[in-house]
Amino acid sequence: MAFKPADNPRHANSWYAASASDKRVRPVLEGEIRADICIIGAGFTGISAALELSERGYSVVVLEAERIGFGASGRNGGQIVNGYSRDLETIAGRYGRERAVKLAEMSLEGGEIIRQRVARYAIDCDLVPGGFFAAFTEKQVREMARSKAEWETYGHGGLEMVSKAEVGRYVDSDRYEGGMIDRLGGHIHPLNLVLGEAAAVENLGGRIFEGSRVTALETDGERPLVRTGGGSVSADYVLVCGNAYLAPLLPEVSGRMMPVSSQVMATEPLDAKIIESLLPANYCVEDANYILDYYRRTADNRLLYGGGIGYGGHDPKDLTAVIRPNMLKTFPQLKDVRIDYAWSGNFALTLTRIPHMGRLSNRVYFSHGDSGHGVTTTHLLGKILGEAVAGHAERFDVWASLPNLPFPGGRALRVPLTAVGAWWYGLRDRLGL
Ligand SMILES: Cc1cc2nc3c(=O)[nH]c(=O)nc-3n(C[C@H](O)[C@H](O)[C@H](O)COP(=O)(O)OP(=O)(O)OC[C@H]3O[C@@H](n4cnc5c(N)ncnc54)[C@H](O)[C@@H]3O)c2cc1C
């Protein structure tokens, strides 16, 4: 399928773009070039794979339709959440204990990759340790305790339950019945993280092109050929990492997930005493509801608050009108605070809520479908893509063996059917069931 490439590569109008540490614009691909590996998409997945492969000595070209980090990677809540969007018990029930153990063994690695790269490449992305999961009900507290016990059987030693009386150490809000901290969680400025990782790729000899939307992928020749509006890349392997922004390219990949939007806003910089009183430990916070709120402090003392959901990637007209009331439920003390930025972005939801990796041919691999928790998993799965094309496909094959089902109702009905499911779970949360 052919379509027009972007004329003016851009970022979302976010606080992240405004505070990006590297404002360089990379060149647009022109002419025909050759590389060992061509990667489609410069988000965490694509750049993580590019870095793994560059470190291994491969020549890498990354093609990005807009700017590095244009997609979810440059817009998200910045929360380093360990694990997957389904708990380990569900994974074991679905895929068997053996595969669940293998996935569990990898589940802390994404956060570790981030911390290692930040240190190795001196990436300035405001990395702060510590995350707090906030529970509204006793039932959610019990579920967290069960999940903690389960994680501990897989060696996670960073979790600690928090009683209602102790919540104030982490959040100054009376909404919560308790919660759990994860000392191996944390938060980052995600755009600066991906920009720093991209610069590391370039320093190792990798080439990244912006404003270079891939318009066709040809696989009938000896090597795959990736075409953009202005040029082409002939590569031994192609990695497809376009996630929720991939369509209309490769419907056989993009049809296996649904873009879902989430909205984020950032307040004006707050007085240091005020922001410290709201989040005293400087941990990021995510609540336990099905449609959840997530928030944290920024390095310049703003409150960055996210939530909301749009199935199919549809955004509400007024983003602030959706998020601000949620923020005020948590922190009514912020009623007079100005909102400086509001933006949204799309993540990729799979029906199983488990990321989906696979091969389109023996030279074309893909990974997508982090289902809302992707800061750590994309780092892990990008690395695993890199390992696979370097000839070590054991971990890739574990992921690729997981069945991935299409959404019921196909393209026409997947949005309304999923929205009905989410409405039901949201109602249960509102009723405290
Ligand atoms: C608002 C929001 C908040 C979130 N908050 C959190 C959070 O706090 N913690 C967490 O763990 N997860 C969070 N997530 C999820 C997380 O951000 C994503 O899982 C992750 O960033 C996905 O990375 P990716 O590289 O796979 O995709 P993306 O970052 O979306 O990158 C895909 C890239 O591919 C490019 N592309 C697509 N098609 C083409 C093409 N044809 N040619 C060239 N380039 C192409 C796109 O332009 C894009 O830059 C959030 C997501 C959103 C949207």
Side-chain angles (χ1 to χ4, degrees):
M1 185 181 300
F3 52 96
K4 200 174 173 293
D7 289 330
N8 298 303
R10 66 218 150 103
H11 275 303
N13 184 21
S14 67
W15 172 73
Y16 294 130
S19 56
S21 55
D22 180 353
K23 299 228 171 25
R24 284 176 296 160
V25 180
R26 268 63 174 194
V28 173
L29 176 69
E30 282 174 0
E32 294 167 15
I33 62 169
R34 166 93 184 89
D36 293 333
I37 324 286
C38 177
I39 298 175
I40 303 173
F44 286 148
T45 306
I47 294 295
S48 177
L51 193 45
E52 173 69 19
L53 287 159
S54 301
E55 286 173 347
R56 287 172 180 262
Y58 290 89
S59 73
V60 175
V61 166
V62 183
L63 299 175
E64 167 54 49
E66 302 282 353
R67 305 287 307 275
I68 295 165
F70 164 81
S73 302
R75 312 177 187 207
N76 59 59
Q79 309 219 352
I80 297 174
V81 181
N82 293 298
Y84 312 114
S85 292
R86 278 288 173 270
D87 61 33
L88 294 173
E89 199 179 321
T90 309
I91 292 175
R94 268 199 215 146
Y95 309 122
R97 182 59 55 187
E98 198 185 322
R99 281 192 286 190
V101 169
K102 286 187 176 144
L103 297 191
E105 283 167 357
M106 298 180 219
S107 61
L108 292 177
E109 193 177 322
E112 193 50 35
I113 293 168
I114 294 171
R115 289 186 287 271
Q116 279 171 2
R117 287 181 178 166
V118 166
R120 184 179 311 145
Y121 298 109
I123 300 173
D124 185 2
C125 62
D126 309 331
L127 174 62
V128 175
F132 176 61
F133 298 99
F136 291 104
T137 62
E138 284 296 333
K139 181 175 172 233
Q140 290 178 345
V141 172
R142 284 195 300 279
E143 278 166 6
M144 281 179 193
R146 190 185 46 73
S147 149
K148 172 176 176 285
E150 192 182 28
W151 272 99
E152 283 167 349
T153 63
Y154 294 103
H156 191 337
L159 302 172
E160 201 178 300
M161 294 306 291
V162 172
S163 69
K164 184 170 175 138
E166 294 165 330
V167 167
R169 288 188 197 167
Y170 304 97
V171 198
D172 180 20
S173 176
D174 58 10
R175 294 182 86 189
Y176 307 120
E177 283 298 311
M180 180 172 75
I181 55 170
D182 183 357
R183 296 190 198 284
L184 297 181
H187 53 100
I188 36 129
H189 184 306
L191 182 57
N192 284 344
L193 173 61
V194 72
L195 287 169
E197 293 174 305
V201 169
E202 291 171 322
N203 288 336
L204 291 167
R207 289 170 287 173
I208 304 176
F209 296 93
E210 294 185 317
S212 301
R213 180 178 295 279
V214 174
T215 53
L217 170 60
E218 295 170 11
T219 51
D220 1 331
E222 193 188 330
R223 287 198 194 87
L225 188 72
V226 185
R227 290 192 186 280
T228 67
S232 65
V233 184
S234 162
D236 293 334
Y237 289 94
V238 173
L239 304 181
V240 180
C241 304
N243 210 39
Y245 291 89
L246 185 64
L249 190 72
L250 300 176
E252 62 272 48
V253 178
S254 54
R256 291 285 171 145
M257 56 88 193
M258 175 164 62
V260 175
S261 76
S262 178
Q263 296 84 46
V264 187
M265 62 180 205
T267 66
E268 63 183 309
L270 302 177
D271 183 273
K273 282 203 182 91
I274 294 178
I275 191 85
E276 282 164 21
S277 72
L278 301 180
L279 295 164
N282 199 5
Y283 280 22
C284 58
V285 180
E286 168 179 305
D287 74 40
N289 275 350
Y290 187 80
I291 296 176
L292 51 88
D293 285 3
Y294 48 93
Y295 49 92
R296 66 181 182 88
R297 282 159 59 171
T298 64
D300 63 351
N301 289 342
R302 297 169 195 272
L303 179 71
L304 192 138
Y305 203 103
I309 205 142
Y311 292 103
H314 304 299
D315 285 328
K317 275 210 184 75
D318 184 347
L319 303 175
T320 308
V322 174
I323 304 298
R324 190 166 175 274
N326 294 355
M327 178 187 82
L328 293 182
K329 273 189 213 155
T330 309
F331 299 119
Q333 56 272 51
L334 297 186
K335 69 177 180 350
D336 296 324
V337 159
R338 194 181 68 229
I339 306 303
D340 278 352
Y341 299 90
W343 65 95
S344 83
N346 292 348
F347 63 85
L349 187 79
T350 61
L351 189 67
T352 58
R353 308 309 194 250
I354 297 292
H356 181 203
M357 296 184 98
R359 294 177 181 84
L360 283 181
S361 73
N362 58 4
R363 289 177 180 270
V364 180
Y365 294 42
F366 67 90
S367 175
H368 68 189
D370 42 79
S371 299
H373 283 130
V375 169
T376 59
T377 32
T378 49
H379 279 82
L380 169 70
L381 300 183
K383 181 175 163 58
I384 290 177
L385 279 175
E387 289 170 7
V389 294
H392 307 283
E394 300 81 8
R395 303 203 303 168
F396 176 90
D397 286 335
V398 173
W399 284 94
S401 75
L402 305 179
N404 187 275
L405 307 167
F407 280 87
R411 279 179 175 264
L413 290 179
R414 65 184 181 175
V415 171
L417 289 178
T418 311
V420 168
W423 173 84
W424 167 245
Y425 286 111
L427 181 68
R428 285 170 57 94
D429 284 336
R430 286 192 293 282
L431 297 174
L433 298 175

